[in-house]
Structure formats: C-alpha cells, structure tokens
Amino acid sequence: MHIPVLLCGFLCGKRYGALCGLIVPLISSAATGMPVLYPTGLSMMAELAAYGFMAGLLSERFSVYPSLIGAMLAGRAVTGAANLMLLGMAGNAYSLEAFVSTAFLTAAPGIAIQLVAVPLLVTSLRRAGLAGFLYPVKS
C-alpha cells in the first residue's frame, strides 16, 4: 500500500496523496480483511495519509530522494503517535522500543524497496511523459 500512496503524492499532489492514504487501508480492509481495522488499519490510515501528503508537499520544493525520505520519516512519526494513542486507549503499553522495532527494524526490507522503487518509478514516468501534466513536480 505504501508505494502506490507515495506515487500518488508525488504525481498527483499533496491533497490527492493524503486522500489516497486515507482510503487505501479502508479498501484493503474491506476487500481482504487486512489490515484489521482497529488498531492497525486506523494507524495505517494516518501513516499513509502523512506519506501521501508529505510526498506531494515536499516534492513541490525538493527532488525525489529528499522528498521521499522526509515523507517516510513523517509517516513513521505519525504512525508512532497514532499507535501510542490507539493502544493507550485500549489499555496497552506502547514503548519507544516497540516503535523503533516496528517502524524501522522490521520495516527495513520495505524501506529499502521504497528507496529503490519509488524514485525509479517517478523518474521513469516523468521521462516517458506520463507524469507531471496534472501536477508538475521537481526532477
């Protein structure tokens, strides 16, 4: 879900990126049952909305890599805050160690894939003339 939302932010802008991030986990949950809506799905909605919004916002001023890294960090910060709030309301503890473990260590393969795939796709779509006509972005 992360790569399409990031691409939407880069190619369609911050508003559509945020909207896409909010909707995609709901569609996935309804269609496949994954993610479970509470608390994972709600947390992912916040995270992916931040991903899409920040990718669009940052790409207005910066190139792909700095924008991507900023969006990924912002999304992880938002998911940490959402998990802290959602799990706290359920009476479960959410520690800094749990946040670092889930947001960075277990996510390392996905982070690596995003760092390779997203810039490659954005650059390829731009060079092919299939991006930038709706929302001009920096190279």
Side-chain angles (χ1 to χ4, degrees):
M1 285 187 269
H2 294 72
I3 291 174
V5 170
L6 286 165
L7 289 174
C8 183
F10 275 109
L11 302 176
C12 300
K14 59 190 173 200
R15 289 183 188 99
Y16 287 113
L19 183 62
C20 181
L22 283 173
I23 293 172
V24 167
L26 287 174
I27 293 170
S28 179
S29 183
T32 67
M34 294 298 291
V36 175
L37 198 54
Y38 183 84
T40 309
L42 294 177
S43 176
M44 283 187 78
M45 288 173 61
E47 174 189 16
L48 293 178
Y51 263 44
F53 181 82
M54 292 304 293
L57 179 70
L58 293 172
S59 68
E60 292 173 3
R61 297 193 65 148
F62 305 103
S63 64
V64 176
Y65 272 107
S67 300
L68 175 61
I69 291 168
M72 291 168 71
L73 290 172
R76 280 166 174 69
V78 167
T79 198
N83 282 333
L84 182 65
M85 183 179 70
L86 292 169
L87 293 172
M89 288 190 313
N92 298 323
Y94 187 69
S95 66
L96 181 61
E97 293 83 13
F99 168 69
V100 170
S101 174
T102 58
F104 296 100
L105 299 179
T106 59
I111 291 169
I113 291 169
Q114 290 171 17
L115 288 171
V116 172
V118 172
L120 181 65
L121 289 167
V122 169
T123 303
S124 297
L125 288 168
R126 288 181 188 162
R127 287 188 181 156
L130 299 173
F133 55 90
L134 292 176
Y135 176 74
V137 290
K138 292 191 176 280
S139 301

PDB file of all heavy atoms in Angstrom, residues 89-128:
ATOM      1  N   MET A  89      -5.534   4.003  24.486  1.00  0.00           N
ATOM      2  CA  MET A  89      -6.977   3.971  24.749  1.00  0.00           C
ATOM      3  C   MET A  89      -7.462   2.556  25.035  1.00  0.00           C
ATOM      4  O   MET A  89      -8.424   2.364  25.758  1.00  0.00           O
ATOM      5  CB  MET A  89      -7.756   4.546  23.559  1.00  0.00           C
ATOM      6  CG  MET A  89      -7.617   6.045  23.429  1.00  0.00           C
ATOM      7  SD  MET A  89      -8.737   6.808  22.218  1.00  0.00           S
ATOM      8  CE  MET A  89      -8.595   5.802  20.791  1.00  0.00           C
ATOM      9  N   ALA A  90      -6.778   1.569  24.452  1.00  0.00           N
ATOM     10  CA  ALA A  90      -7.157   0.173  24.677  1.00  0.00           C
ATOM     11  C   ALA A  90      -6.525  -0.389  25.944  1.00  0.00           C
ATOM     12  O   ALA A  90      -6.738  -1.541  26.283  1.00  0.00           O
ATOM     13  CB  ALA A  90      -6.749  -0.668  23.478  1.00  0.00           C
ATOM     14  N   GLY A  91      -5.714   0.437  26.632  1.00  0.00           N
ATOM     15  CA  GLY A  91      -5.077  -0.006  27.863  1.00  0.00           C
ATOM     16  C   GLY A  91      -3.800  -0.792  27.653  1.00  0.00           C
ATOM     17  O   GLY A  91      -3.314  -1.458  28.557  1.00  0.00           O
ATOM     18  N   ASN A  92      -3.244  -0.724  26.441  1.00  0.00           N
ATOM     19  CA  ASN A  92      -1.993  -1.425  26.137  1.00  0.00           C
ATOM     20  C   ASN A  92      -0.835  -0.444  26.129  1.00  0.00           C
ATOM     21  O   ASN A  92      -0.982   0.701  25.707  1.00  0.00           O
ATOM     22  CB  ASN A  92      -2.079  -2.119  24.774  1.00  0.00           C
ATOM     23  CG  ASN A  92      -3.161  -3.169  24.738  1.00  0.00           C
ATOM     24  OD1 ASN A  92      -3.389  -3.867  25.712  1.00  0.00           O
ATOM     25  ND2 ASN A  92      -3.835  -3.269  23.609  1.00  0.00           N
ATOM     26  N   ALA A  93       0.312  -0.905  26.557  1.00  0.00           N
ATOM     27  CA  ALA A  93       1.504  -0.064  26.562  1.00  0.00           C
ATOM     28  C   ALA A  93       2.116  -0.032  25.164  1.00  0.00           C
ATOM     29  O   ALA A  93       2.058  -1.002  24.419  1.00  0.00           O
ATOM     30  CB  ALA A  93       2.517  -0.597  27.559  1.00  0.00           C
ATOM     31  N   TYR A  94       2.692   1.103  24.802  1.00  0.00           N
ATOM     32  CA  TYR A  94       3.410   1.246  23.537  1.00  0.00           C
ATOM     33  C   TYR A  94       4.695   1.995  23.852  1.00  0.00           C
ATOM     34  O   TYR A  94       4.678   3.187  24.128  1.00  0.00           O
ATOM     35  CB  TYR A  94       2.565   2.001  22.510  1.00  0.00           C
ATOM     36  CG  TYR A  94       3.187   2.036  21.133  1.00  0.00           C
ATOM     37  CD1 TYR A  94       3.282   0.883  20.372  1.00  0.00           C
ATOM     38  CD2 TYR A  94       3.666   3.214  20.596  1.00  0.00           C
ATOM     39  CE1 TYR A  94       3.841   0.893  19.104  1.00  0.00           C
ATOM     40  CE2 TYR A  94       4.215   3.252  19.329  1.00  0.00           C
ATOM     41  CZ  TYR A  94       4.306   2.089  18.586  1.00  0.00           C
ATOM     42  OH  TYR A  94       4.856   2.119  17.339  1.00  0.00           O
ATOM     43  N   SER A  95       5.803   1.288  23.796  1.00  0.00           N
ATOM     44  CA  SER A  95       7.081   1.854  24.220  1.00  0.00           C
ATOM     45  C   SER A  95       7.883   2.373  23.034  1.00  0.00           C
ATOM     46  O   SER A  95       7.588   2.067  21.875  1.00  0.00           O
ATOM     47  CB  SER A  95       7.897   0.798  24.962  1.00  0.00           C
ATOM     48  OG  SER A  95       8.256  -0.240  24.062  1.00  0.00           O
ATOM     49  N   LEU A  96       8.915   3.122  23.339  1.00  0.00           N
ATOM     50  CA  LEU A  96       9.840   3.598  22.310  1.00  0.00           C
ATOM     51  C   LEU A  96      10.509   2.418  21.620  1.00  0.00           C
ATOM     52  O   LEU A  96      10.720   2.437  20.408  1.00  0.00           O
ATOM     53  CB  LEU A  96      10.890   4.530  22.936  1.00  0.00           C
ATOM     54  CG  LEU A  96      11.918   5.117  21.980  1.00  0.00           C
ATOM     55  CD1 LEU A  96      11.236   5.964  20.905  1.00  0.00           C
ATOM     56  CD2 LEU A  96      12.937   5.946  22.735  1.00  0.00           C
ATOM     57  N   GLU A  97      10.824   1.378  22.372  1.00  0.00           N
ATOM     58  CA  GLU A  97      11.445   0.185  21.796  1.00  0.00           C
ATOM     59  C   GLU A  97      10.513  -0.486  20.788  1.00  0.00           C
ATOM     60  O   GLU A  97      10.944  -0.930  19.724  1.00  0.00           O
ATOM     61  CB  GLU A  97      11.838  -0.814  22.889  1.00  0.00           C
ATOM     62  CG  GLU A  97      12.943  -0.332  23.799  1.00  0.00           C
ATOM     63  CD  GLU A  97      12.454   0.578  24.928  1.00  0.00           C
ATOM     64  OE1 GLU A  97      11.217   0.658  25.173  1.00  0.00           O
ATOM     65  OE2 GLU A  97      13.295   1.242  25.546  1.00  0.00           O
ATOM     66  N   ALA A  98       9.224  -0.550  21.120  1.00  0.00           N
ATOM     67  CA  ALA A  98       8.245  -1.137  20.196  1.00  0.00           C
ATOM     68  C   ALA A  98       8.137  -0.293  18.935  1.00  0.00           C
ATOM     69  O   ALA A  98       8.051  -0.833  17.823  1.00  0.00           O
ATOM     70  CB  ALA A  98       6.885  -1.263  20.866  1.00  0.00           C
ATOM     71  N   PHE A  99       8.147   1.017  19.084  1.00  0.00           N
ATOM     72  CA  PHE A  99       8.079   1.910  17.930  1.00  0.00           C
ATOM     73  C   PHE A  99       9.286   1.717  17.017  1.00  0.00           C
ATOM     74  O   PHE A  99       9.131   1.524  15.807  1.00  0.00           O
ATOM     75  CB  PHE A  99       8.001   3.370  18.381  1.00  0.00           C
ATOM     76  CG  PHE A  99       8.217   4.353  17.272  1.00  0.00           C
ATOM     77  CD1 PHE A  99       7.277   4.501  16.265  1.00  0.00           C
ATOM     78  CD2 PHE A  99       9.366   5.123  17.225  1.00  0.00           C
ATOM     79  CE1 PHE A  99       7.476   5.404  15.222  1.00  0.00           C
ATOM     80  CE2 PHE A  99       9.574   6.025  16.196  1.00  0.00           C
ATOM     81  CZ  PHE A  99       8.633   6.161  15.188  1.00  0.00           C
ATOM     82  N   VAL A 100      10.484   1.755  17.575  1.00  0.00           N
ATOM     83  CA  VAL A 100      11.707   1.607  16.769  1.00  0.00           C
ATOM     84  C   VAL A 100      11.724   0.244  16.094  1.00  0.00           C
ATOM     85  O   VAL A 100      12.073   0.124  14.918  1.00  0.00           O
ATOM     86  CB  VAL A 100      12.968   1.838  17.629  1.00  0.00           C
ATOM     87  CG1 VAL A 100      14.229   1.459  16.871  1.00  0.00           C
ATOM     88  CG2 VAL A 100      13.033   3.291  18.080  1.00  0.00           C
ATOM     89  N   SER A 101      11.324  -0.778  16.836  1.00  0.00           N
ATOM     90  CA  SER A 101      11.321  -2.130  16.287  1.00  0.00           C
ATOM     91  C   SER A 101      10.384  -2.253  15.093  1.00  0.00           C
ATOM     92  O   SER A 101      10.762  -2.770  14.041  1.00  0.00           O
ATOM     93  CB  SER A 101      10.921  -3.127  17.375  1.00  0.00           C
ATOM     94  OG  SER A 101      10.786  -4.416  16.834  1.00  0.00           O
ATOM     95  N   THR A 102       9.160  -1.777  15.236  1.00  0.00           N
ATOM     96  CA  THR A 102       8.193  -1.924  14.147  1.00  0.00           C
ATOM     97  C   THR A 102       8.408  -0.922  13.015  1.00  0.00           C
ATOM     98  O   THR A 102       8.257  -1.263  11.849  1.00  0.00           O
ATOM     99  CB  THR A 102       6.746  -1.798  14.660  1.00  0.00           C
ATOM    100  OG1 THR A 102       6.583  -0.542  15.299  1.00  0.00           O
ATOM    101  CG2 THR A 102       6.394  -2.918  15.605  1.00  0.00           C
ATOM    102  N   ALA A 103       8.757   0.313  13.350  1.00  0.00           N
ATOM    103  CA  ALA A 103       8.853   1.360  12.326  1.00  0.00           C
ATOM    104  C   ALA A 103      10.149   1.302  11.530  1.00  0.00           C
ATOM    105  O   ALA A 103      10.183   1.780  10.390  1.00  0.00           O
ATOM    106  CB  ALA A 103       8.709   2.738  12.972  1.00  0.00           C
ATOM    107  N   PHE A 104      11.186   0.720  12.098  1.00  0.00           N
ATOM    108  CA  PHE A 104      12.466   0.742  11.398  1.00  0.00           C
ATOM    109  C   PHE A 104      13.089  -0.639  11.208  1.00  0.00           C
ATOM    110  O   PHE A 104      13.519  -0.967  10.107  1.00  0.00           O
ATOM    111  CB  PHE A 104      13.449   1.664  12.126  1.00  0.00           C
ATOM    112  CG  PHE A 104      13.010   3.100  12.118  1.00  0.00           C
ATOM    113  CD1 PHE A 104      12.399   3.660  13.223  1.00  0.00           C
ATOM    114  CD2 PHE A 104      13.175   3.887  10.995  1.00  0.00           C
ATOM    115  CE1 PHE A 104      11.966   4.972  13.208  1.00  0.00           C
ATOM    116  CE2 PHE A 104      12.740   5.201  10.962  1.00  0.00           C
ATOM    117  CZ  PHE A 104      12.134   5.748  12.078  1.00  0.00           C
ATOM    118  N   LEU A 105      13.141  -1.452  12.242  1.00  0.00           N
ATOM    119  CA  LEU A 105      13.843  -2.732  12.129  1.00  0.00           C
ATOM    120  C   LEU A 105      13.066  -3.742  11.292  1.00  0.00           C
ATOM    121  O   LEU A 105      13.594  -4.262  10.306  1.00  0.00           O
ATOM    122  CB  LEU A 105      14.160  -3.293  13.514  1.00  0.00           C
ATOM    123  CG  LEU A 105      15.065  -2.406  14.381  1.00  0.00           C
ATOM    124  CD1 LEU A 105      15.297  -3.043  15.743  1.00  0.00           C
ATOM    125  CD2 LEU A 105      16.390  -2.154  13.682  1.00  0.00           C
ATOM    126  N   THR A 106      11.834  -4.032  11.660  1.00  0.00           N
ATOM    127  CA  THR A 106      11.064  -4.997  10.873  1.00  0.00           C
ATOM    128  C   THR A 106      10.641  -4.411   9.527  1.00  0.00           C
ATOM    129  O   THR A 106      10.347  -5.163   8.600  1.00  0.00           O
ATOM    130  CB  THR A 106       9.813  -5.493  11.631  1.00  0.00           C
ATOM    131  OG1 THR A 106       8.986  -4.377  11.956  1.00  0.00           O
ATOM    132  CG2 THR A 106      10.191  -6.225  12.893  1.00  0.00           C
ATOM    133  N   ALA A 107      10.631  -3.098   9.417  1.00  0.00           N
ATOM    134  CA  ALA A 107      10.255  -2.440   8.163  1.00  0.00           C
ATOM    135  C   ALA A 107      11.442  -2.228   7.221  1.00  0.00           C
ATOM    136  O   ALA A 107      11.251  -1.727   6.114  1.00  0.00           O
ATOM    137  CB  ALA A 107       9.597  -1.097   8.464  1.00  0.00           C
ATOM    138  N   ALA A 108      12.634  -2.621   7.620  1.00  0.00           N
ATOM    139  CA  ALA A 108      13.838  -2.361   6.813  1.00  0.00           C
ATOM    140  C   ALA A 108      13.736  -2.880   5.377  1.00  0.00           C
ATOM    141  O   ALA A 108      14.101  -2.148   4.446  1.00  0.00           O
ATOM    142  CB  ALA A 108      15.074  -2.910   7.514  1.00  0.00           C
ATOM    143  N   PRO A 109      13.248  -4.093   5.131  1.00  0.00           N
ATOM    144  CA  PRO A 109      13.129  -4.521   3.734  1.00  0.00           C
ATOM    145  C   PRO A 109      12.179  -3.635   2.928  1.00  0.00           C
ATOM    146  O   PRO A 109      12.471  -3.281   1.780  1.00  0.00           O
ATOM    147  CB  PRO A 109      12.585  -5.953   3.842  1.00  0.00           C
ATOM    148  CG  PRO A 109      12.982  -6.417   5.200  1.00  0.00           C
ATOM    149  CD  PRO A 109      12.938  -5.190   6.069  1.00  0.00           C
ATOM    150  N   GLY A 110      11.066  -3.255   3.511  1.00  0.00           N
ATOM    151  CA  GLY A 110      10.125  -2.369   2.825  1.00  0.00           C
ATOM    152  C   GLY A 110      10.714  -0.994   2.575  1.00  0.00           C
ATOM    153  O   GLY A 110      10.491  -0.393   1.521  1.00  0.00           O
ATOM    154  N   ILE A 111      11.475  -0.500   3.544  1.00  0.00           N
ATOM    155  CA  ILE A 111      12.141   0.797   3.383  1.00  0.00           C
ATOM    156  C   ILE A 111      13.103   0.736   2.208  1.00  0.00           C
ATOM    157  O   ILE A 111      13.140   1.641   1.363  1.00  0.00           O
ATOM    158  CB  ILE A 111      12.860   1.194   4.689  1.00  0.00           C
ATOM    159  CG1 ILE A 111      11.841   1.519   5.783  1.00  0.00           C
ATOM    160  CG2 ILE A 111      13.812   2.369   4.452  1.00  0.00           C
ATOM    161  CD1 ILE A 111      12.447   1.668   7.168  1.00  0.00           C
ATOM    162  N   ALA A 112      13.878  -0.338   2.135  1.00  0.00           N
ATOM    163  CA  ALA A 112      14.843  -0.492   1.037  1.00  0.00           C
ATOM    164  C   ALA A 112      14.131  -0.549  -0.313  1.00  0.00           C
ATOM    165  O   ALA A 112      14.563   0.099  -1.276  1.00  0.00           O
ATOM    166  CB  ALA A 112      15.683  -1.750   1.252  1.00  0.00           C
ATOM    167  N   ILE A 113      13.046  -1.298  -0.369  1.00  0.00           N
ATOM    168  CA  ILE A 113      12.285  -1.394  -1.628  1.00  0.00           C
ATOM    169  C   ILE A 113      11.736  -0.027  -2.021  1.00  0.00           C
ATOM    170  O   ILE A 113      11.809   0.372  -3.190  1.00  0.00           O
ATOM    171  CB  ILE A 113      11.160  -2.437  -1.500  1.00  0.00           C
ATOM    172  CG1 ILE A 113      11.757  -3.843  -1.405  1.00  0.00           C
ATOM    173  CG2 ILE A 113      10.175  -2.342  -2.665  1.00  0.00           C
ATOM    174  CD1 ILE A 113      10.772  -4.915  -1.012  1.00  0.00           C
ATOM    175  N   GLN A 114      11.213   0.716  -1.069  1.00  0.00           N
ATOM    176  CA  GLN A 114      10.680   2.051  -1.360  1.00  0.00           C
ATOM    177  C   GLN A 114      11.767   2.995  -1.841  1.00  0.00           C
ATOM    178  O   GLN A 114      11.547   3.781  -2.774  1.00  0.00           O
ATOM    179  CB  GLN A 114       9.998   2.632  -0.128  1.00  0.00           C
ATOM    180  CG  GLN A 114       8.708   1.947   0.232  1.00  0.00           C
ATOM    181  CD  GLN A 114       8.168   2.389   1.576  1.00  0.00           C
ATOM    182  OE1 GLN A 114       8.560   3.419   2.114  1.00  0.00           O
ATOM    183  NE2 GLN A 114       7.260   1.607   2.128  1.00  0.00           N
ATOM    184  N   LEU A 115      12.933   2.934  -1.231  1.00  0.00           N
ATOM    185  CA  LEU A 115      14.033   3.821  -1.620  1.00  0.00           C
ATOM    186  C   LEU A 115      14.534   3.537  -3.028  1.00  0.00           C
ATOM    187  O   LEU A 115      15.091   4.418  -3.682  1.00  0.00           O
ATOM    188  CB  LEU A 115      15.179   3.727  -0.616  1.00  0.00           C
ATOM    189  CG  LEU A 115      14.910   4.368   0.738  1.00  0.00           C
ATOM    190  CD1 LEU A 115      16.031   4.030   1.720  1.00  0.00           C
ATOM    191  CD2 LEU A 115      14.757   5.873   0.607  1.00  0.00           C
ATOM    192  N   VAL A 116      14.340   2.318  -3.510  1.00  0.00           N
ATOM    193  CA  VAL A 116      14.739   1.971  -4.872  1.00  0.00           C
ATOM    194  C   VAL A 116      13.581   2.171  -5.847  1.00  0.00           C
ATOM    195  O   VAL A 116      13.735   2.813  -6.890  1.00  0.00           O
ATOM    196  CB  VAL A 116      15.253   0.516  -4.938  1.00  0.00           C
ATOM    197  CG1 VAL A 116      15.491   0.079  -6.374  1.00  0.00           C
ATOM    198  CG2 VAL A 116      16.526   0.357  -4.114  1.00  0.00           C
ATOM    199  N   ALA A 117      12.419   1.635  -5.513  1.00  0.00           N
ATOM    200  CA  ALA A 117      11.302   1.596  -6.464  1.00  0.00           C
ATOM    201  C   ALA A 117      10.668   2.959  -6.727  1.00  0.00           C
ATOM    202  O   ALA A 117      10.389   3.300  -7.878  1.00  0.00           O
ATOM    203  CB  ALA A 117      10.232   0.615  -5.973  1.00  0.00           C
ATOM    204  N   VAL A 118      10.421   3.738  -5.682  1.00  0.00           N
ATOM    205  CA  VAL A 118       9.691   4.999  -5.868  1.00  0.00           C
ATOM    206  C   VAL A 118      10.459   5.990  -6.756  1.00  0.00           C
ATOM    207  O   VAL A 118       9.898   6.485  -7.736  1.00  0.00           O
ATOM    208  CB  VAL A 118       9.272   5.617  -4.519  1.00  0.00           C
ATOM    209  CG1 VAL A 118       8.700   7.016  -4.700  1.00  0.00           C
ATOM    210  CG2 VAL A 118       8.265   4.717  -3.819  1.00  0.00           C
ATOM    211  N   PRO A 119      11.739   6.277  -6.469  1.00  0.00           N
ATOM    212  CA  PRO A 119      12.450   7.195  -7.371  1.00  0.00           C
ATOM    213  C   PRO A 119      12.549   6.663  -8.798  1.00  0.00           C
ATOM    214  O   PRO A 119      12.412   7.427  -9.760  1.00  0.00           O
ATOM    215  CB  PRO A 119      13.839   7.319  -6.742  1.00  0.00           C
ATOM    216  CG  PRO A 119      13.631   6.982  -5.306  1.00  0.00           C
ATOM    217  CD  PRO A 119      12.554   5.937  -5.305  1.00  0.00           C
ATOM    218  N   LEU A 120      12.745   5.357  -8.931  1.00  0.00           N
ATOM    219  CA  LEU A 120      12.823   4.760 -10.262  1.00  0.00           C
ATOM    220  C   LEU A 120      11.506   4.931 -11.015  1.00  0.00           C
ATOM    221  O   LEU A 120      11.494   5.344 -12.184  1.00  0.00           O
ATOM    222  CB  LEU A 120      13.180   3.275 -10.140  1.00  0.00           C
ATOM    223  CG  LEU A 120      13.318   2.493 -11.434  1.00  0.00           C
ATOM    224  CD1 LEU A 120      14.493   3.027 -12.252  1.00  0.00           C
ATOM    225  CD2 LEU A 120      13.515   1.023 -11.135  1.00  0.00           C
ATOM    226  N   LEU A 121      10.394   4.653 -10.358  1.00  0.00           N
ATOM    227  CA  LEU A 121       9.083   4.795 -10.999  1.00  0.00           C
ATOM    228  C   LEU A 121       8.742   6.246 -11.315  1.00  0.00           C
ATOM    229  O   LEU A 121       8.264   6.551 -12.415  1.00  0.00           O
ATOM    230  CB  LEU A 121       8.001   4.176 -10.119  1.00  0.00           C
ATOM    231  CG  LEU A 121       8.012   2.654 -10.033  1.00  0.00           C
ATOM    232  CD1 LEU A 121       7.112   2.170  -8.905  1.00  0.00           C
ATOM    233  CD2 LEU A 121       7.593   2.048 -11.359  1.00  0.00           C
ATOM    234  N   VAL A 122       8.986   7.142 -10.360  1.00  0.00           N
ATOM    235  CA  VAL A 122       8.683   8.560 -10.590  1.00  0.00           C
ATOM    236  C   VAL A 122       9.522   9.095 -11.750  1.00  0.00           C
ATOM    237  O   VAL A 122       8.997   9.738 -12.666  1.00  0.00           O
ATOM    238  CB  VAL A 122       8.910   9.392  -9.311  1.00  0.00           C
ATOM    239  CG1 VAL A 122       8.850  10.882  -9.602  1.00  0.00           C
ATOM    240  CG2 VAL A 122       7.892   9.022  -8.247  1.00  0.00           C
ATOM    241  N   THR A 123      10.804   8.797 -11.753  1.00  0.00           N
ATOM    242  CA  THR A 123      11.694   9.260 -12.813  1.00  0.00           C
ATOM    243  C   THR A 123      11.302   8.663 -14.163  1.00  0.00           C
ATOM    244  O   THR A 123      11.266   9.366 -15.178  1.00  0.00           O
ATOM    245  CB  THR A 123      13.162   8.911 -12.472  1.00  0.00           C
ATOM    246  OG1 THR A 123      13.484   9.490 -11.218  1.00  0.00           O
ATOM    247  CG2 THR A 123      14.113   9.430 -13.524  1.00  0.00           C
ATOM    248  N   SER A 124      10.993   7.383 -14.176  1.00  0.00           N
ATOM    249  CA  SER A 124      10.599   6.722 -15.429  1.00  0.00           C
ATOM    250  C   SER A 124       9.305   7.300 -15.986  1.00  0.00           C
ATOM    251  O   SER A 124       9.196   7.534 -17.194  1.00  0.00           O
ATOM    252  CB  SER A 124      10.434   5.214 -15.200  1.00  0.00           C
ATOM    253  OG  SER A 124      11.651   4.638 -14.822  1.00  0.00           O
ATOM    254  N   LEU A 125       8.327   7.523 -15.124  1.00  0.00           N
ATOM    255  CA  LEU A 125       7.061   8.093 -15.581  1.00  0.00           C
ATOM    256  C   LEU A 125       7.253   9.512 -16.111  1.00  0.00           C
ATOM    257  O   LEU A 125       6.621   9.906 -17.103  1.00  0.00           O
ATOM    258  CB  LEU A 125       6.031   8.075 -14.454  1.00  0.00           C
ATOM    259  CG  LEU A 125       5.493   6.693 -14.094  1.00  0.00           C
ATOM    260  CD1 LEU A 125       4.718   6.739 -12.787  1.00  0.00           C
ATOM    261  CD2 LEU A 125       4.627   6.160 -15.217  1.00  0.00           C
ATOM    262  N   ARG A 126       8.104  10.269 -15.470  1.00  0.00           N
ATOM    263  CA  ARG A 126       8.380  11.632 -15.953  1.00  0.00           C
ATOM    264  C   ARG A 126       9.066  11.603 -17.305  1.00  0.00           C
ATOM    265  O   ARG A 126       8.703  12.355 -18.212  1.00  0.00           O
ATOM    266  CB  ARG A 126       9.246  12.376 -14.941  1.00  0.00           C
ATOM    267  CG  ARG A 126       8.517  12.765 -13.698  1.00  0.00           C
ATOM    268  CD  ARG A 126       9.437  13.503 -12.773  1.00  0.00           C
ATOM    269  NE  ARG A 126       8.796  13.709 -11.486  1.00  0.00           N
ATOM    270  CZ  ARG A 126       9.452  14.003 -10.383  1.00  0.00           C
ATOM    271  NH1 ARG A 126      10.748  14.142 -10.404  1.00  0.00           N
ATOM    272  NH2 ARG A 126       8.808  14.162  -9.257  1.00  0.00           N
ATOM    273  N   ARG A 127      10.075  10.759 -17.448  1.00  0.00           N
ATOM    274  CA  ARG A 127      10.809  10.678 -18.723  1.00  0.00           C
ATOM    275  C   ARG A 127       9.928  10.191 -19.858  1.00  0.00           C
ATOM    276  O   ARG A 127      10.123  10.574 -21.004  1.00  0.00           O
ATOM    277  CB  ARG A 127      12.026   9.776 -18.574  1.00  0.00           C
ATOM    278  CG  ARG A 127      13.119  10.420 -17.788  1.00  0.00           C
ATOM    279  CD  ARG A 127      14.383   9.605 -17.799  1.00  0.00           C
ATOM    280  NE  ARG A 127      15.395  10.278 -16.995  1.00  0.00           N
ATOM    281  CZ  ARG A 127      16.403   9.669 -16.439  1.00  0.00           C
ATOM    282  NH1 ARG A 127      16.581   8.373 -16.595  1.00  0.00           N
ATOM    283  NH2 ARG A 127      17.281  10.345 -15.728  1.00  0.00           N
ATOM    284  N   ALA A 128       8.966   9.338 -19.543  1.00  0.00           N
ATOM    285  CA  ALA A 128       8.052   8.823 -20.558  1.00  0.00           C
ATOM    286  C   ALA A 128       6.944   9.828 -20.882  1.00  0.00           C
ATOM    287  O   ALA A 128       6.125   9.579 -21.757  1.00  0.00           O
ATOM    288  CB  ALA A 128       7.448   7.506 -20.091  1.00  0.00           C
TER     289      ALA A 128
END
